[in-house]
């Protein structure tokens, strides 16, 4: 059974028009992840420059027994933004008698496909998929087996895609939902700016396609007429703010129609499509504590590029 809270088309239209009428123009990054966007993101994860995925995997591979120990037996594993993660499979296979698995994702098609694959691979495991924008409030489903504790899983440094205040708000919500349990979270760390820059400007230009896909999506779903070659992918590290910013920059003065609304773009004007914050361990500990967590354990790779952390709720 699917618990379906997928954002409606009307919400997408309203949020797009609201964002494009702001100055500077912006769009919520969650809309990058429809079926095709999620597929492009998977491809980004395979790029050589995108160190995040393989570094997180290597930490998982090495420290999995310690993670499993902290999660404990009969946990209900709740994954925010599940995609079709390999990392989750590693975790599910290692956990002691999990009470169930709740994958939450905004892309219904992607969620169902991944959910079905998991049911086939682990017939003993109760999978309870929830299609939702996980920044909104929704009920966590209850499995049939007894639940010793709820443990949330939020890998990939997706927390970096939240601005600091929404990040605190989201983490407080998770801390309340998992009181007595915890959160296993992947957090990307501050590092050499050039490495960061390269990760979001891969040579194969998959990140550029991922970014521009938002225009394709608006054309298809909102009857817009963006011309893709009139917008450039522009992503850079902003050291003052400690974040990668991703933009789509208009290459000329132009008017774009979205349904029956005209939006004017000046040459050089950008649509801000995503932030990806990078943290020091100290900065992240402060954020986690302000949200009601206690940092129990931090694992990093030898270069300290990425961290996985177990936070107690
Ligand atoms: C999903 N999230 C953690 C990715 C990131 O690195 O911030 C999204 C992404 N955007 C461009 N490349 C990857």
């Amino acid at each position: 059974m699917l618990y379906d809270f997928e954002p409606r088309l009307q919400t997408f239209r309203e949020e797009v028009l609201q964002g494009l009428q702001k100055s500077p123009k912006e769009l919520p990054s969650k809309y990058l992840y429809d079926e095709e966007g999620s597929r492009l993101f998977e491809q980004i994860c395979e790029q050589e420059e995108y160190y995040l995925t393989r570094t997180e995997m290597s930490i998982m591979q090495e420290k999995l027994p310690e993670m499993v120990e902290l999660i404990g037996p009969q946990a209900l594993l709740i994954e925010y933004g599940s995609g079709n993660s390999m990392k989750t499979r590693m975790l599910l296979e290692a956990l002691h008698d999990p009470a169930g698995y709740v994958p939450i994702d905004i892309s219904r098609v992607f969620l169902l496909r991944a959910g079905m694959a998991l049911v086939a691979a682990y017939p003993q495991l109760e999978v309870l998929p929830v299609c939702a924008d996980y920044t909104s409030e929704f009920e966590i489903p209850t499995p049939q087996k007894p639940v010793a504790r709820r443990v949330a899983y939020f890998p990939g440094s997706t927390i970096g895609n939240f601005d600091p205040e929404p990040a605190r708000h989201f983490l407080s919500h998770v801390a309340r939902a998992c009181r007595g349990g915890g959160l296993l979270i992947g957090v990307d760390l501050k590092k050499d700016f050039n490495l960061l820059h390269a990760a979001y400007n891969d040579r194969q230009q998959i990140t550029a396609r991922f970014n521009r896909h938002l225009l394709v999506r608006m054309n298809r779903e909102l009857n817009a007429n963006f011309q893709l070659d009139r917008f450039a992918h522009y992503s850079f590290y902003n050291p003052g703010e400690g974040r990668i910013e991703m933009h789509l920059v208009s290459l000329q003065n132009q008017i774009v129609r979205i349904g029956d609304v005209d939006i004017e773009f000046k040459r050089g004007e950008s649509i801000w499509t995503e932030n990806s914050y990078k943290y020091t361990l100290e900065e992240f500990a402060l954020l986690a504590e302000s949200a009601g967590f206690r940092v129990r354990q931090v694992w990093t790779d030898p270069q300290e590029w990425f961290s996985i952390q177990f936070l107690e709720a």
Side-chain angles (χ1 to χ4, degrees), residues 32-33 41 44-45 50 52 134 155-161 188 199-202 207 210-211 233 235 244 246 274-278:
L32 289 161
Y33 302 91
F41 176 59
I44 290 177
C45 294
Y50 197 75
L52 288 86
Y134 54 73
S157 200
T158 305
I159 192 65
N161 299 129
D188 197 16
Y200 294 82
N201 291 280
D202 62 284
T207 311
F210 171 69
N211 196 6
H233 164 74
S235 135
I244 289 280
M246 194 162 81
E274 193 177 57
N275 282 326
S276 191
Y277 284 83
K278 309 301 168 189

Side-chain angles (χ1 to χ4, degrees), residues 266-277:
K266 296 261 180 301
R267 182 169 171 228
E269 190 179 0
S270 88
I271 311 175
W272 196 338
T273 52
E274 193 177 57
N275 282 326
S276 191
Y277 284 83

Side-chain angles (χ1 to χ4, degrees), residues 200-268:
Y200 294 82
N201 291 280
D202 62 284
R203 267 162 299 171
Q204 304 277 354
Q205 308 218 351
I206 312 289
T207 311
R209 272 177 57 200
F210 171 69
N211 196 6
R212 278 211 207 86
H213 174 67
L214 207 41
L215 305 179
V216 177
R217 190 173 175 192
M218 288 188 284
N219 285 352
R220 197 173 52 217
E221 294 181 30
L222 304 181
N223 195 22
N225 65 351
F226 285 97
Q227 293 197 34
L228 303 203
D229 56 357
R230 293 187 179 175
F231 287 88
H233 164 74
Y234 183 51
S235 135
F236 60 93
Y237 185 65
N238 177 336
E241 299 291 341
R243 68 186 179 213
I244 289 280
E245 292 185 16
M246 194 162 81
H247 296 257
L248 287 163
V249 181
S250 175
L251 295 172
Q252 59 187 77
N253 291 334
Q254 54 181 319
I255 291 174
V256 176
R257 221 147 218 247
I258 298 172
D260 52 9
V261 180
D262 281 344
I263 305 282
E264 195 186 333
F265 288 87
K266 296 261 180 301
R267 182 169 171 228

